[in-house]
Amino acid sequence: MKKVIFACVHNAGRSQMAAAFFNALADPARAHAVSAGTQPGTRIHPEVQAVMAEAGIDLSGARPRLLTEEVARDAQWLITLGCGDACPFVPGVKRGDWPLEDPKGKPVERVREIREEVRARVVALLNQEGWAR
């Protein structure tokens, strides 16, 4: 079982979308994802929750969390999402960086575009690694 961490600063938007899409589209016997942040917010951005619901994914129970050693344990991948110099580092894992715009406070049309870019990148990763359902 492979573990992927999707991380950004507040863990309230992009990383939540990426982990949710990953877990919905990955073969659960081969890989799963978690999301975390370096400075977690208090809740998922409402605009992110809304556009993910449109895509059939309910984030109402999701909560931002801190990227700790425990969360990172046994991970094979760390994908950071547009956090620049504030991106976390986890030693000994493969790394990727997806420089995506923060959806916080953006118009719903733009948040939808970010959602679709996140989904496309997740699908590409799943296909690249052979983890798709």
Side-chain angles (χ1 to χ4, degrees), residues 88-112:
F89 176 75
V90 176
V93 299
K94 292 181 184 177
R95 262 192 75 115
D97 182 59
W98 300 350
L100 300 170
E101 183 179 356
D102 187 349
K104 182 180 181 183
K106 301 287 188 294
V108 70
E109 298 80 16
R110 180 65 189 129
V111 180
R112 286 183 186 121

Side-chain angles (χ1 to χ4, degrees), residues 5 17 23-24 26-27 36 60-61 66 68-69 74 87 101 103 107-108 111-113 115 118-119 124 128-129:
I5 304 167
M17 287 192 275
N23 289 327
D27 177 345
S60 63
L66 182 64
T68 63
E69 285 184 27
D74 302 323
C87 283
E101 183 179 356
V108 70
V111 180
R112 286 183 186 121
E113 291 169 358
R115 176 194 67 201
V118 168
R119 184 190 334 232
Q128 168 192 313
E129 296 297 318

Side-chain angles (χ1 to χ4, degrees), residues 4-126:
V4 176
I5 304 167
F6 290 99
C8 60
V9 176
H10 299 294
N11 189 222
R14 297 161 289 191
S15 56
Q16 292 281 349
M17 287 192 275
F21 277 130
F22 188 100
N23 289 327
L25 301 171
D27 177 345
R30 303 188 82 195
H32 75 283
V34 297
S35 70
T38 54
Q39 299 169 19
T42 57
R43 64 186 174 118
I44 306 301
H45 301 314
E47 56 272 30
V48 168
Q49 195 170 329
V51 300
M52 290 301 284
E54 293 174 0
I57 295 179
D58 180 8
L59 290 180
S60 63
R63 299 287 175 263
R65 70 172 161 179
L66 182 64
L67 178 57
T68 63
E69 285 184 27
E70 182 179 333
V71 170
R73 187 172 296 122
D74 302 323
Q76 286 74 39
W77 271 94
L78 170 66
I79 307 287
T80 53
L81 294 109
C83 44
D85 292 340
C87 283
F89 176 75
V90 176
V93 299
K94 292 181 184 177
R95 262 192 75 115
D97 182 59
W98 300 350
L100 300 170
E101 183 179 356
D102 187 349
K104 182 180 181 183
K106 301 287 188 294
V108 70
E109 298 80 16
R110 180 65 189 129
V111 180
R112 286 183 186 121
E113 291 169 358
I114 294 166
R115 176 194 67 201
E116 292 309 308
E117 188 171 351
V118 168
R119 184 190 334 232
R121 287 175 180 259
V122 166
V123 167
L125 176 64
L126 290 169

